Amino acid sequence: MIWDEVGEDQLEREKVLLELEQECLEVYRRKVDRANISRARLHQELAESEAEFTHLLLSLGERSLPGRPEKMSGTIKQQLDSITPALRDMRLRKEERVNQFRTVQGQIQKISAEIAGQSEYDDSITNVTVNENDLSLKKLEEYQNELQRLHNEKNNRLQQVEKYIDAVHSLSTTLGMESSMIITKVHPSLNELCGISKNISDAILAKLNSTVESLQEEKQKRLEKLHHLGKALKNLWSLMDTPYGDRYMFSHVINLLSVSSAEVSDPGSLTLDIIKQAEAEVKRLDQLKASKMKELFLKKQNELEQICNKSHMEIPSRSEMENILNLINSGEIDHADLLMSMDEQISRAKEEANSRKSIMEKVEKWILARDEERWLEEYSMDENRYTVSRSRGAHRNLRRAERARVTVNKIPALVDSLIAKTKSWEEERKKVFLYDEVPLLAMLEEYNLFRQEREEDKQRQRDLKKVQSQVVVEQENSIASRPSTSNRRISNRSINGGFGNASPLNRRLSLSTQHLGSNSINSATQGISYIKEGKRVQGKSTTPRPNFASQLRDETASVVSTFSGPLSP
């Protein structure tokens, strides 16, 4: 219409129309390209959403999401609209899962740092890296299990730390030490006053264990020292008869003698002050013991002599004891070694006295039986035992004589038993059994020989009486034809002749202890040797002992007296 009105040329018109067509085509192409680009962008967005959704499913360990169709249909925008809610839900789930992983991994790092000894661990500066490619529940469960294991380990370590701290408190209280200083020295965090979390690292546990062991060693060392001091106190108290009042002050030390280290838990029972006090008391008593050493030695000597006297064993010589007393006075002898030597001698004396006990009991029975035998002989030789002047006590003597005969008849069996026991004792101990420094076997054998000779003498006496009786009868037959004076002279000659024919007892008790061994129970300590004296005086014994040789002489005299007594037909 414009062209017609203007009258534009046809050629010009066609040219303009061609340009217009080309410009419209360009606009359309641009619109198509823009639509294609938008479509491609939608396709890419859909593909990315699909890929992201698939990745989220894989990372979260999910196979599919409920509510999302497996196969999508419709336009691209419809497909995007269908996947967008599911994708948004998956992103929320991923974010939540990541937070869970970050929380668990953060706790794991924190507890691991505490176990490693990093007590100043700070959550704010910690960068927890979460692997978003694996956010599955299985992986989360693994982290949770690891966290639980670390929690258990942390609790165990805390319990160990508390146990060590309690042990340190208990040992420190017993030893009289300051426990807080010891614990702070191990690590300041272990002191509750510091207000920081406790260090539970391996190094701290090892240091606590070492500290407890060192305290236990110190406890054991102090207890052993107190045991030593307690035994020394008991020995010194026993030696010097210390009164109960002085002993009571150290009764707690004595009570520890029967207690082991694990049983000692009373507060302040093993402090250094107690040890120093006990040491001072032992030192004081040692000094007091040195001043009373002579008295103690004499007491020990008296105890040893009593044991020896009671069992009729050899007693240490007086000169030997005097030499020891001179050494004590001059201070040239170790008091402890001397008392130990005396205690050893007393112990050996008691042991030997105990081994001699059964033999000594039989020896006592034998001595009593011999006394009864001697009384019975004297009683039998008394021709006036039945006279009127003695009739008052005759019945008592008769009863005693009956008992004495029973006892005397048991003497041979008793002697044989004694010989057997003595030989067994000597074979077992490889030494001679001495009774008041005389070999017992020699005494018993001499007694058997004496008894045998006495029986032979009695038999000769009976034979002599028979001969004398015959002589008397012959003299009476011829008495009428002989003067009385000659009769008395012949009778005297017959009697004297009878004694001339009798064999006198010429055996004597001669016992020698040469080459019989030593029955001494003395020992030597630090060059101190108790040398035996050449002769012993039997009168040293504090208890009376029967003199065997004199008894045998009395018995011999009693037998001889039977020959010189009045003869009766």
Side-chain angles (χ1 to χ4, degrees):
M1 289 173 63
I2 295 171
W3 282 342
D4 287 342
E5 183 180 353
V6 172
E8 189 68 39
D9 186 45
Q10 185 66 31
L11 182 62
E12 190 64 31
R13 288 183 179 186
E14 292 178 358
K15 183 180 178 181
V16 172
L17 289 174
L18 181 61
E19 290 177 359
L20 180 62
E21 182 179 356
Q22 289 178 351
E23 290 178 0
C24 290
L25 183 61
E26 286 297 329
V27 172
Y28 178 78
R29 284 177 179 173
R30 284 198 299 272
K31 294 292 184 181
V32 171
D33 291 339
R34 194 174 297 166
N36 285 330
I37 290 173
S38 177
R39 184 183 62 181
R41 190 180 296 113
L42 290 174
H43 272 294
Q44 184 180 358
E45 185 178 350
L46 179 61
E48 289 177 354
S49 297
E50 288 283 353
E52 183 181 358
F53 188 84
T54 303
H55 177 71
L56 290 174
L57 283 176
L58 293 176
S59 63
L60 294 174
E62 301 288 347
R63 293 184 178 182
S64 62
L65 182 66
R68 175 179 178 257
E70 294 293 333
K71 294 181 179 181
M72 293 185 296
S73 59
T75 64
I76 296 175
K77 288 186 176 181
Q78 289 176 346
Q79 293 180 18
L80 279 173
D81 291 340
S82 65
I83 198 174
T84 298
L87 183 60
R88 188 184 303 113
D89 185 47
M90 290 297 291
R91 286 172 179 169
L92 292 175
R93 293 182 66 180
K94 175 187 175 182
E95 185 178 356
E96 182 182 355
R97 189 70 58 83
V98 168
N99 291 333
Q100 291 178 350
F101 270 84
R102 184 174 286 108
T103 301
V104 172
Q105 287 181 260
Q107 292 179 357
I108 289 174
Q109 289 184 7
K110 181 179 179 181
I111 296 177
S112 299
E114 291 178 356
I115 292 176
Q118 302 174 6
S119 57
E120 57 278 354
Y121 179 83
D122 189 0
D123 294 338
S124 61
I125 63 174
T126 302
N127 184 16
V128 179
T129 303
V130 179
N131 183 11
E132 296 184 0
N133 294 325
D134 189 0
L135 300 173
S136 63
L137 292 175
K138 182 179 179 181
K139 189 67 175 177
L140 181 61
E141 186 178 358
E142 291 178 1
Y143 279 119
Q144 289 174 343
N145 291 336
E146 176 68 11
L147 179 61
Q148 184 62 40
R149 185 189 68 79
L150 291 174
H151 270 302
N152 294 336
E153 183 176 354
K154 177 182 177 181
N155 292 332
N156 290 336
R157 287 172 178 262
L158 285 173
Q159 290 178 2
Q160 290 181 7
V161 168
E162 290 297 330
K163 181 179 179 181
Y164 283 132
I165 291 176
D166 291 342
V168 170
H169 281 300
S170 176
L171 291 169
S172 300
T173 303
T174 302
L175 298 175
M177 298 180 176
E178 186 61 38
S179 59
S180 60
M181 294 180 61
I182 298 174
I183 294 172
T184 304
K185 188 176 180 180
V186 174
H187 198 274
S189 64
L190 300 179
N191 194 332
E192 296 179 355
L193 300 177
C194 294
I196 59 177
S197 60
K198 294 179 180 178
N199 191 315
I200 55 176
S201 63
D202 291 337
I204 295 300
L205 290 175
K207 201 169 182 180
L208 282 171
N209 183 60
S210 175
T211 302
V212 171
E213 287 180 352
S214 64
L215 289 175
Q216 289 176 343
E217 290 176 0
E218 179 66 18
K219 178 182 179 182
Q220 181 66 29
K221 188 186 301 182
R222 292 188 185 184
L223 183 61
E224 289 177 356
K225 195 165 188 178
L226 284 176
H227 280 177
H228 177 72
L229 293 172
K231 291 178 181 178
L233 284 174
K234 286 188 68 176
N235 292 335
L236 291 169
W237 289 343
S238 177
L239 287 173
M240 293 183 287
D241 294 330
T242 305
Y244 177 76
D246 295 341
R247 299 186 184 191
Y248 180 76
M249 297 176 58
F250 295 92
S251 59
H252 56 285
V253 177
I254 304 303
N255 293 336
L256 293 175
L257 289 175
S258 59
V259 179
S260 63
S261 177
E263 296 172 339
V264 179
S265 59
D266 295 336
S269 56
L270 297 178
T271 61
L272 290 176
D273 291 338
I274 292 178
I275 295 176
K276 290 179 180 178
Q277 291 173 4
E279 288 177 341
E281 180 66 10
V282 170
K283 184 177 180 180
R284 184 185 71 82
L285 291 177
D286 276 332
Q287 295 174 352
L288 183 62
K289 182 187 73 173
S291 64
K292 293 187 176 181
M293 193 62 197
K294 184 175 181 180
E295 178 183 348
L296 292 173
F297 175 74
L298 293 175
K299 181 180 178 181
K300 293 285 185 182
Q301 178 189 0
N302 185 45
E303 181 181 358
L304 180 61
E305 290 182 355
Q306 287 180 357
I307 295 173
C308 294
N309 288 332
K310 187 176 181 180
S311 296
H312 298 270
M313 296 187 297
E314 184 179 6
I315 302 175
S317 63
R318 292 291 179 183
S319 60
E320 182 179 338
M321 296 301 173
E322 290 175 358
N323 292 333
I324 295 175
L325 285 176
N326 293 332
L327 291 175
I328 294 174
N329 294 329
S330 62
E332 298 178 359
I333 189 170
D334 190 344
H335 299 161
D337 291 340
L338 176 60
L339 289 180
M340 185 180 298
S341 174
M342 292 298 293
D343 288 336
E344 290 176 357
Q345 292 184 55
I346 291 172
S347 177
R348 284 195 296 271
K350 289 180 178 179
E351 187 272 332
E352 183 164 345
N354 188 53
S355 69
R356 295 164 59 99
K357 184 176 180 180
S358 60
I359 297 178
M360 292 304 302
E361 290 176 353
K362 289 186 176 293
V363 169
E364 296 298 330
K365 291 181 180 179
W366 175 52
I367 293 174
L368 294 175
R370 287 180 55 252
D371 291 339
E372 290 297 306
E373 183 182 28
R374 188 181 304 106
W375 179 88
L376 183 62
E377 289 179 355
E378 294 176 356
Y379 177 75
S380 300
M381 292 170 59
D382 186 6
E383 295 182 354
N384 297 323
R385 59 185 180 274
Y386 300 123
T387 59
V388 177
S389 61
R390 297 190 180 183
S391 60
R392 293 179 181 179
H395 63 283
R396 289 195 297 271
N397 291 335
L398 283 174
R399 285 197 296 270
R400 181 179 177 183
E402 291 175 359
R403 291 194 298 269
R405 289 188 185 95
V406 173
T407 302
V408 169
N409 290 334
K410 295 179 180 178
I411 289 180
L414 180 61
V415 171
D416 293 341
S417 175
L418 257 177
I419 292 174
K421 278 186 172 293
T422 305
K423 288 182 178 179
S424 175
W425 187 93
E426 291 182 348
E427 291 175 359
E428 179 182 353
R429 304 181 74 87
K430 308 298 182 184
K431 61 193 297 186
V432 176
F433 190 102
L434 298 180
Y435 184 92
D436 291 339
E437 303 182 15
V438 178
L440 180 60
L441 281 179
M443 293 171 61
L444 296 171
E445 291 172 358
E446 188 72 19
Y447 175 78
N448 282 338
L449 290 175
F450 175 76
R451 189 180 179 87
Q452 182 179 356
E453 289 182 0
R454 187 175 57 187
E455 293 298 329
E456 292 175 357
D457 290 340
K458 286 182 179 181
Q459 184 62 37
R460 284 195 297 269
Q461 181 183 3
R462 285 192 292 269
D463 294 341
L464 180 61
K465 284 184 178 182
K466 290 181 181 179
V467 172
Q468 290 176 348
S469 298
Q470 292 177 0
V471 171
V472 170
V473 170
E474 292 175 358
Q475 290 175 353
E476 288 179 352
N477 292 334
S478 59
I479 194 171
S481 60
R482 295 183 183 180
S484 59
T485 55
S486 62
N487 183 21
R488 188 178 301 109
R489 188 179 303 111
I490 291 173
S491 175
N492 290 336
R493 280 200 305 269
S494 299
I495 293 174
N496 293 333
F499 279 107
N501 293 331
S503 298
L505 292 176
N506 55 10
R507 176 175 297 275
R508 293 183 178 179
L509 177 63
S510 59
L511 304 175
S512 174
T513 59
Q514 296 178 357
H515 307 294
L516 293 178
S518 174
N519 202 31
S520 177
I521 53 174
N522 301 325
S523 64
T525 303
Q526 294 186 353
I528 303 172
S529 62
Y530 295 163
I531 304 173
K532 297 177 61 178
E533 296 294 328
K535 295 182 180 181
R536 306 291 186 182
V537 181
Q538 197 165 5
K540 294 178 187 177
S541 282
T542 58
T543 57
R545 306 179 186 173
N547 192 324
F548 185 71
S550 63
Q551 291 176 4
L552 292 181
R553 285 196 296 270
D554 294 341
E555 290 172 352
T556 305
S558 66
V559 173
V560 173
S561 65
T562 59
F563 290 95
S564 59
L567 300 176
S568 60

